[in-house]
Amino acid sequence: MNYKNITVAGSGVLGSQIAYQIAFKGFNVNVYDINDEVLGKAKDRISDLKQRYQEDLKATEEEVNSAFNRISFYSDLAKATAEADLVIEAIPEVVQIKTDFYKELGKVAPEKTIFASNSSTLLPSQFAEATGRPQKFLNLHFANEIWKNNTAEIMKHPGTDAKVFEDVIDFAKAIGMVALPLQKEQPGYILNSLLVPLLDAAQMLLLNEIADPETIDKTWMVATGAPMGPFAILDVVGITTAYNITLAKAEATGNPDYKKLADLLKSEYIDKGKLGRGTGEGFYKYPNPTFMNPDFIQA
Ligand code: NAD
Protein backbone atom coordinates (compact mmCIF):
# COMPACT_ATOMS: atom_id res chain seq x y z
CA MET A 1 0.00 0.00 0.00
CA ASN A 2 1.55 3.29 -1.02
CA TYR A 3 -1.41 5.63 -0.68
CA LYS A 4 -0.53 9.25 0.05
CA ASN A 5 -3.40 11.38 -1.18
CA ILE A 6 -6.90 10.59 -0.02
CA THR A 7 -10.13 12.25 -1.12
CA VAL A 8 -13.20 12.09 1.10
CA ALA A 9 -16.45 12.75 -0.76
CA GLY A 10 -19.27 14.04 1.45
CA SER A 11 -18.38 16.17 4.45
CA GLY A 12 -21.32 15.41 6.76
CA VAL A 13 -21.25 13.58 10.09
CA LEU A 14 -19.03 10.70 9.00
CA GLY A 15 -17.16 12.34 6.12
CA SER A 16 -15.82 15.06 8.44
CA GLN A 17 -14.63 12.52 10.95
CA ILE A 18 -13.05 10.27 8.32
CA ALA A 19 -11.23 13.21 6.73
CA TYR A 20 -9.86 14.45 10.04
CA GLN A 21 -8.77 11.01 11.26
CA ILE A 22 -6.87 10.38 8.02
CA ALA A 23 -5.19 13.80 8.18
CA PHE A 24 -4.37 13.21 11.85
CA LYS A 25 -2.46 10.10 10.78
CA GLY A 26 -0.35 12.13 8.34
CA PHE A 27 -2.03 11.71 4.94
CA ASN A 28 -2.96 14.57 2.61
CA VAL A 29 -6.74 14.86 2.46
CA ASN A 30 -9.03 16.56 -0.04
CA VAL A 31 -12.62 16.98 1.05
CA TYR A 32 -15.24 17.15 -1.70
CA ASP A 33 -18.84 18.30 -1.28
CA ILE A 34 -21.56 19.78 -3.48
CA ASN A 35 -20.96 23.51 -2.88
CA ASP A 36 -18.91 26.08 -0.97
CA GLU A 37 -21.63 26.78 1.57
CA VAL A 38 -21.68 23.13 2.65
CA LEU A 39 -17.88 23.11 2.67
CA GLY A 40 -17.88 26.13 4.98
CA LYS A 41 -19.96 24.18 7.49
CA ALA A 42 -17.65 21.20 7.06
CA LYS A 43 -14.63 23.35 7.98
CA ASP A 44 -16.34 24.30 11.25
CA ARG A 45 -17.39 20.71 11.92
CA ILE A 46 -13.86 19.43 11.32
CA SER A 47 -12.36 22.24 13.37
CA ASP A 48 -14.61 21.24 16.28
CA LEU A 49 -13.00 17.81 16.22
CA LYS A 50 -9.67 19.28 17.34
CA GLN A 51 -11.00 19.63 20.87
CA ARG A 52 -12.33 16.07 20.90
CA TYR A 53 -8.93 14.72 19.88
CA GLN A 54 -7.24 16.79 22.59
CA GLU A 55 -9.70 15.61 25.25
CA ASP A 56 -10.17 11.99 24.23
CA LEU A 57 -6.74 11.16 22.75
CA LYS A 58 -4.60 13.70 24.64
CA ALA A 59 -3.40 15.03 21.28
CA THR A 60 -1.28 18.20 21.46
CA GLU A 61 -2.35 21.55 20.03
CA GLU A 62 0.35 21.25 17.38
CA GLU A 63 -0.86 17.79 16.34
CA VAL A 64 -4.49 18.84 15.99
CA ASN A 65 -3.61 22.00 14.08
CA SER A 66 -1.23 20.33 11.65
CA ALA A 67 -3.86 17.64 11.00
CA PHE A 68 -6.37 20.36 10.08
CA ASN A 69 -3.81 22.04 7.83
CA ARG A 70 -3.35 18.84 5.82
CA ILE A 71 -6.98 19.09 4.63
CA SER A 72 -8.05 21.00 1.48
CA PHE A 73 -11.64 21.65 0.42
CA TYR A 74 -13.13 21.35 -3.09
CA SER A 75 -16.52 21.60 -4.77
CA ASP A 76 -15.05 20.42 -8.11
CA LEU A 77 -14.83 16.64 -8.24
CA ALA A 78 -12.11 16.51 -10.93
CA LYS A 79 -9.85 18.85 -8.96
CA ALA A 80 -10.63 17.08 -5.69
CA THR A 81 -9.54 13.73 -7.12
CA ALA A 82 -6.74 14.75 -9.52
CA GLU A 83 -4.01 13.18 -7.33
CA ALA A 84 -6.14 10.71 -5.37
CA ASP A 85 -4.84 7.23 -4.56
CA LEU A 86 -8.11 6.49 -2.77
CA VAL A 87 -11.55 8.13 -2.71
CA ILE A 88 -13.72 7.37 0.31
CA GLU A 89 -17.38 8.11 -0.36
CA ALA A 90 -19.56 9.26 2.56
CA ILE A 91 -22.52 10.86 0.76
CA PRO A 92 -26.22 10.26 1.60
CA GLU A 93 -27.50 6.71 1.93
CA VAL A 94 -29.65 7.02 -1.20
CA VAL A 95 -29.08 4.57 -4.06
CA GLN A 96 -29.72 7.09 -6.85
CA ILE A 97 -27.45 9.75 -5.34
CA LYS A 98 -24.63 7.25 -4.91
CA THR A 99 -25.12 5.75 -8.41
CA ASP A 100 -24.96 9.20 -10.06
CA PHE A 101 -21.92 10.08 -7.97
CA TYR A 102 -20.00 6.92 -8.95
CA LYS A 103 -20.78 7.41 -12.64
CA GLU A 104 -19.32 10.90 -12.48
CA LEU A 105 -16.38 9.88 -10.28
CA GLY A 106 -15.49 7.01 -12.61
CA LYS A 107 -15.20 9.53 -15.46
CA VAL A 108 -13.09 12.19 -13.74
CA ALA A 109 -10.80 10.29 -11.35
CA PRO A 110 -7.40 9.02 -12.56
CA GLU A 111 -7.26 5.40 -13.63
CA LYS A 112 -5.14 4.37 -10.61
CA THR A 113 -7.67 5.67 -8.05
CA ILE A 114 -9.36 3.15 -5.75
CA PHE A 115 -12.93 3.88 -4.63
CA ALA A 116 -14.39 2.85 -1.25
CA SER A 117 -17.89 3.40 0.09
CA ASN A 118 -18.65 4.05 3.76
CA SER A 119 -22.27 2.95 3.22
CA SER A 120 -23.89 1.37 6.28
CA THR A 121 -26.61 -0.60 4.51
CA LEU A 122 -25.80 -0.79 0.79
CA LEU A 123 -23.59 -3.48 -0.75
CA PRO A 124 -20.64 -2.69 -3.06
CA SER A 125 -22.03 -4.89 -5.86
CA GLN A 126 -24.93 -2.39 -6.13
CA PHE A 127 -22.52 0.28 -7.40
CA ALA A 128 -19.65 -1.75 -8.87
CA GLU A 129 -20.92 -1.30 -12.43
CA ALA A 130 -21.54 2.44 -12.06
CA THR A 131 -17.93 3.03 -10.97
CA GLY A 132 -16.66 1.77 -14.34
CA ARG A 133 -13.83 0.04 -12.41
CA PRO A 134 -15.44 -2.74 -10.34
CA GLN A 135 -12.09 -4.37 -9.56
CA LYS A 136 -10.96 -1.18 -7.79
CA PHE A 137 -14.08 -0.77 -5.65
CA LEU A 138 -15.17 -2.05 -2.22
CA ASN A 139 -16.77 -0.88 1.03
CA LEU A 140 -14.77 0.62 3.89
CA HIS A 141 -17.16 1.20 6.78
CA PHE A 142 -16.35 3.29 9.82
CA ALA A 143 -18.30 3.89 13.03
CA ASN A 144 -19.51 7.22 14.38
CA GLU A 145 -16.85 8.86 16.61
CA ILE A 146 -14.18 7.15 14.54
CA TRP A 147 -11.28 8.31 16.75
CA LYS A 148 -12.72 6.31 19.70
CA ASN A 149 -14.84 3.64 18.03
CA ASN A 150 -12.06 2.67 15.67
CA THR A 151 -13.51 -0.23 13.71
CA ALA A 152 -13.04 -0.41 9.94
CA GLU A 153 -15.12 -3.12 8.29
CA ILE A 154 -13.69 -3.82 4.84
CA MET A 155 -16.06 -5.66 2.54
CA LYS A 156 -15.29 -6.76 -1.01
CA HIS A 157 -17.74 -7.71 -3.71
CA PRO A 158 -17.10 -10.68 -6.02
CA GLY A 159 -15.26 -8.48 -8.54
CA THR A 160 -12.90 -6.69 -6.13
CA ASP A 161 -9.22 -7.28 -6.92
CA ALA A 162 -7.40 -9.20 -4.14
CA LYS A 163 -4.52 -6.67 -4.06
CA VAL A 164 -6.98 -3.76 -3.68
CA PHE A 165 -8.62 -5.56 -0.75
CA GLU A 166 -5.23 -6.12 0.94
CA ASP A 167 -4.14 -2.52 0.33
CA VAL A 168 -7.30 -1.08 1.85
CA ILE A 169 -6.87 -3.35 4.89
CA ASP A 170 -3.31 -1.98 5.28
CA PHE A 171 -4.56 1.57 4.82
CA ALA A 172 -7.21 1.08 7.53
CA LYS A 173 -4.47 -0.03 9.93
CA ALA A 174 -2.28 2.92 8.91
CA ILE A 175 -5.02 5.36 9.95
CA GLY A 176 -5.36 3.81 13.40
CA MET A 177 -8.30 1.51 12.79
CA VAL A 178 -8.79 -2.08 13.83
CA ALA A 179 -9.20 -3.62 10.36
CA LEU A 180 -12.03 -6.16 10.11
CA PRO A 181 -12.04 -7.81 6.67
CA LEU A 182 -15.21 -9.45 5.30
CA GLN A 183 -14.46 -12.03 2.63
CA LYS A 184 -17.99 -11.88 1.18
CA GLU A 185 -20.81 -9.36 0.99
CA GLN A 186 -22.97 -9.29 4.10
CA PRO A 187 -25.78 -6.78 4.76
CA GLY A 188 -25.04 -5.10 8.10
CA TYR A 189 -21.39 -6.20 7.94
CA ILE A 190 -20.22 -8.18 11.00
CA LEU A 191 -21.19 -5.74 13.74
CA ASN A 192 -24.83 -5.22 12.86
CA SER A 193 -25.24 -8.88 11.90
CA LEU A 194 -24.49 -9.57 15.56
CA LEU A 195 -25.94 -6.51 17.25
CA VAL A 196 -29.31 -6.12 15.52
CA PRO A 197 -30.61 -9.63 16.43
CA LEU A 198 -29.39 -9.14 20.02
CA LEU A 199 -31.18 -5.79 20.39
CA ASP A 200 -34.30 -7.19 18.70
CA ALA A 201 -34.40 -10.19 21.02
CA ALA A 202 -33.97 -8.01 24.11
CA GLN A 203 -36.80 -5.70 23.06
CA MET A 204 -39.10 -8.66 22.34
CA LEU A 205 -38.45 -10.02 25.86
CA LEU A 206 -39.51 -6.62 27.19
CA LEU A 207 -42.56 -6.40 24.91
CA ASN A 208 -43.70 -9.86 25.98
CA GLU A 209 -43.23 -8.89 29.64
CA ILE A 210 -40.78 -11.74 30.24
CA ALA A 211 -38.45 -9.53 32.30
CA ASP A 212 -37.57 -5.85 32.84
CA PRO A 213 -34.62 -4.14 31.06
CA GLU A 214 -32.36 -4.36 34.12
CA THR A 215 -32.88 -8.13 34.51
CA ILE A 216 -32.32 -8.70 30.79
CA ASP A 217 -29.10 -6.64 30.80
CA LYS A 218 -27.93 -8.28 34.01
CA THR A 219 -28.38 -11.72 32.46
CA TRP A 220 -26.26 -10.76 29.47
CA MET A 221 -23.57 -9.06 31.56
CA VAL A 222 -23.15 -11.81 34.17
CA ALA A 223 -23.31 -14.65 31.68
CA THR A 224 -20.94 -13.23 29.06
CA GLY A 225 -18.79 -10.78 31.02
CA ALA A 226 -19.89 -7.92 28.76
CA PRO A 227 -19.65 -4.44 30.35
CA MET A 228 -23.15 -3.46 29.22
CA GLY A 229 -26.34 -5.17 28.16
CA PRO A 230 -28.65 -4.60 25.17
CA PHE A 231 -30.76 -1.88 26.83
CA ALA A 232 -27.66 0.07 27.85
CA ILE A 233 -26.55 -0.20 24.21
CA LEU A 234 -29.98 1.00 23.03
CA ASP A 235 -29.55 4.07 25.25
CA VAL A 236 -26.35 4.88 23.35
CA VAL A 237 -27.98 4.27 19.95
CA GLY A 238 -30.92 6.47 21.02
CA ILE A 239 -34.54 5.43 21.47
CA THR A 240 -35.68 7.52 18.49
CA THR A 241 -33.35 5.58 16.18
CA ALA A 242 -34.52 2.28 17.69
CA TYR A 243 -38.14 3.41 17.17
CA ASN A 244 -37.55 4.36 13.52
CA ILE A 245 -35.83 1.06 12.78
CA THR A 246 -38.63 -0.89 14.48
CA LEU A 247 -41.30 1.02 12.58
CA ALA A 248 -39.52 0.32 9.27
CA LYS A 249 -39.36 -3.37 10.17
CA ALA A 250 -43.09 -3.37 11.01
CA GLU A 251 -43.83 -2.01 7.54
CA ALA A 252 -41.35 -4.25 5.72
CA THR A 253 -42.35 -7.51 7.42
CA GLY A 254 -45.97 -6.94 8.42
CA ASN A 255 -45.09 -8.58 11.75
CA PRO A 256 -47.53 -7.05 14.30
CA ASP A 257 -45.01 -7.50 17.14
CA TYR A 258 -42.79 -4.82 15.60
CA LYS A 259 -45.73 -2.41 15.52
CA LYS A 260 -46.50 -3.18 19.18
CA LEU A 261 -42.85 -2.65 20.06
CA ALA A 262 -42.76 0.68 18.20
CA ASP A 263 -45.90 1.79 20.10
CA LEU A 264 -44.28 0.80 23.41
CA LEU A 265 -41.06 2.71 22.64
CA LYS A 266 -43.13 5.76 21.73
CA SER A 267 -45.58 5.83 24.64
CA GLU A 268 -43.23 4.73 27.43
CA TYR A 269 -40.00 6.42 26.35
CA ILE A 270 -40.14 8.96 23.50
CA ASP A 271 -43.34 10.69 24.66
CA LYS A 272 -41.85 10.94 28.16
CA GLY A 273 -38.64 12.52 26.86
CA LYS A 274 -36.61 9.41 27.64
CA LEU A 275 -34.57 9.41 24.45
CA GLY A 276 -31.43 7.69 25.67
CA ARG A 277 -28.04 8.57 27.04
CA GLY A 278 -27.85 11.88 25.14
CA THR A 279 -30.85 13.32 27.00
CA GLY A 280 -29.94 11.95 30.44
CA GLU A 281 -32.56 9.20 30.51
CA GLY A 282 -33.63 6.24 28.41
CA PHE A 283 -33.92 2.76 29.84
CA TYR A 284 -31.47 4.02 32.49
CA LYS A 285 -30.86 7.39 34.18
CA TYR A 286 -27.50 9.10 33.52
CA PRO A 287 -24.79 10.00 34.44
CA ASN A 288 -24.87 7.17 36.99
CA PRO A 289 -26.96 4.35 35.47
CA THR A 290 -27.63 1.39 37.77
CA PHE A 291 -25.82 -1.03 35.45
CA MET A 292 -22.54 0.79 36.16
CA ASN A 293 -22.89 0.18 39.91
CA PRO A 294 -20.52 -2.67 40.91
CA ASP A 295 -23.39 -4.24 42.93
CA PHE A 296 -25.52 -4.57 39.76
CA ILE A 297 -23.97 -7.85 38.70
CA GLN A 298 -23.41 -9.19 42.22
CA ALA A 299 -26.95 -10.19 43.12
P1 NAD B 1 -24.69 13.34 6.23
O1 NAD B 1 -26.05 13.61 5.73
O2 NAD B 1 -24.26 13.86 7.55
O3 NAD B 1 -23.62 13.87 5.15
C1 NAD B 1 -23.74 13.65 3.78
C2 NAD B 1 -22.90 14.68 3.02
O4 NAD B 1 -22.88 14.36 1.65
C3 NAD B 1 -23.42 16.11 3.15
O5 NAD B 1 -22.36 16.97 3.47
C4 NAD B 1 -23.96 16.40 1.73
O6 NAD B 1 -23.83 17.77 1.37
C5 NAD B 1 -23.04 15.54 0.91
N1 NAD B 1 -23.56 15.22 -0.42
C6 NAD B 1 -24.82 15.08 -0.83
N2 NAD B 1 -24.85 14.75 -2.14
C7 NAD B 1 -23.58 14.69 -2.55
C8 NAD B 1 -22.96 14.43 -3.78
N3 NAD B 1 -23.66 14.11 -4.87
N4 NAD B 1 -21.62 14.47 -3.84
C9 NAD B 1 -20.88 14.77 -2.74
N5 NAD B 1 -21.43 15.03 -1.54
C10 NAD B 1 -22.76 14.99 -1.45
O7 NAD B 1 -24.52 11.75 6.17
P2 NAD B 1 -23.61 10.78 7.08
O8 NAD B 1 -24.35 10.43 8.32
O9 NAD B 1 -22.25 11.34 7.18
O10 NAD B 1 -23.61 9.47 6.18
C11 NAD B 1 -22.85 9.40 5.00
C12 NAD B 1 -22.59 7.95 4.67
O11 NAD B 1 -21.90 7.35 5.78
C13 NAD B 1 -23.84 7.10 4.45
O12 NAD B 1 -23.58 6.17 3.42
C14 NAD B 1 -24.03 6.40 5.77
O13 NAD B 1 -24.66 5.13 5.63
C15 NAD B 1 -22.61 6.20 6.21
N6 NAD B 1 -22.42 6.04 7.67
C16 NAD B 1 -23.00 6.90 8.56
C17 NAD B 1 -22.80 6.72 9.92
C18 NAD B 1 -23.41 7.64 10.94
O14 NAD B 1 -23.40 7.31 12.15
N7 NAD B 1 -23.92 8.80 10.57
C19 NAD B 1 -21.99 5.66 10.38
C20 NAD B 1 -21.36 4.82 9.44
C21 NAD B 1 -21.60 5.02 8.09
Side-chain angles (χ1 to χ4, degrees):
M1 190 277 294
N2 53 0
Y3 300 166
K4 288 190 183 66
N5 301 310
I6 314 299
T7 299
V8 177
S11 61
V13 176
L14 255 283
S16 299
Q17 296 180 16
I18 295 166
Y20 193 67
Q21 176 68 22
I22 296 172
F24 186 73
K25 290 291 174 177
F27 293 82
N28 300 321
V29 179
N30 286 353
V31 169
Y32 164 75
D33 211 308
I34 45 175
N35 61 44
D36 291 339
E37 194 194 329
V38 179
L39 287 170
K41 289 190 188 130
K43 276 180 203 165
D44 293 342
R45 197 176 303 113
I46 293 175
S47 199
D48 288 346
L49 291 173
K50 290 182 194 171
Q51 202 187 338
R52 305 297 304 273
Y53 276 63
Q54 284 180 292
E55 283 169 12
D56 295 343
L57 304 182
K58 309 291 168 230
T60 65
E61 185 143 4
E62 204 211 312
E63 283 170 334
V64 296
N65 286 332
S66 55
F68 187 80
N69 292 336
R70 276 191 286 276
I71 306 175
S72 307
F73 296 84
Y74 295 87
S75 55
D76 180 315
L77 188 58
K79 285 186 187 146
T81 58
E83 310 276 325
D85 298 302
L86 172 69
V87 174
I88 300 173
E89 169 270 309
I91 71 172
E93 194 74 343
V94 177
V95 173
Q96 196 57 53
I97 294 178
K98 288 200 199 281
T99 305
D100 292 346
F101 171 78
Y102 280 117
K103 281 187 184 155
E104 181 64 18
L105 180 67
K107 278 187 215 144
V108 301
E111 205 186 315
K112 66 165 184 178
T113 311
I114 309 299
F115 303 162
S117 176
N118 180 49
S119 173
S120 295
T121 62
L122 304 167
L123 298 172
S125 55
Q126 288 177 260
F127 306 104
E129 213 49 53
T131 66
R133 58 185 81 184
Q135 71 285 2
K136 290 182 182 152
F137 176 59
L138 41 53
N139 278 14
L140 169 58
H141 180 240
F142 299 101
N144 196 13
E145 308 216 326
I146 178 172
W147 64 95
K148 290 193 298 182
N149 304 329
N150 60 332
T151 55
E153 294 185 284
I154 301 137
M155 180 159 77
K156 59 183 175 182
H157 68 91
T160 308
D161 185 278
K163 169 87 166 64
V164 170
F165 188 54
E166 291 308 319
D167 280 353
V168 172
I169 292 169
D170 288 346
F171 170 73
K173 292 177 188 167
I175 58 165
M177 298 293 113
V178 176
L180 305 162
L182 282 83
Q183 305 296 335
K184 289 185 188 171
E185 289 195 314
Q186 167 67 29
Y189 299 85
I190 296 171
L191 178 59
N192 281 334
S193 297
L194 295 168
L195 190 56
V196 172
L198 174 72
L199 299 183
D200 260 12
Q203 292 175 95
M204 286 305 165
L205 290 171
L206 175 67
L207 177 70
N208 293 326
E209 299 174 347
I210 307 296
D212 59 25
E214 289 197 344
T215 306
I216 296 166
D217 277 9
K218 194 180 286 189
T219 308
W220 185 253
M221 290 165 71
V222 176
T224 67
M228 60 209 285
F231 288 99
I233 296 173
L234 281 162
D235 275 350
V236 175
V237 171
I239 315 298
T240 309
T241 302
Y243 169 77
N244 288 334
I245 292 170
T246 306
L247 211 54
K249 276 189 192 147
E251 280 166 21
T253 64
N255 180 343
D257 282 350
Y258 282 124
K259 177 74 176 77
K260 283 188 216 152
L261 176 59
D263 290 344
L264 174 98
L265 293 174
K266 183 156 189 323
S267 64
E268 294 305 309
Y269 297 93
I270 295 175
D271 288 351
K272 293 180 179 170
K274 299 178 183 178
L275 303 182
R277 200 166 189 149
T279 56
E281 186 169 2
F283 293 104
Y284 294 93
K285 280 191 181 150
Y286 298 86
N288 298 308
T290 51
F291 75 86
M292 298 269 279
N293 187 328
D295 292 344
F296 188 73
I297 54 168
Q298 297 301 329

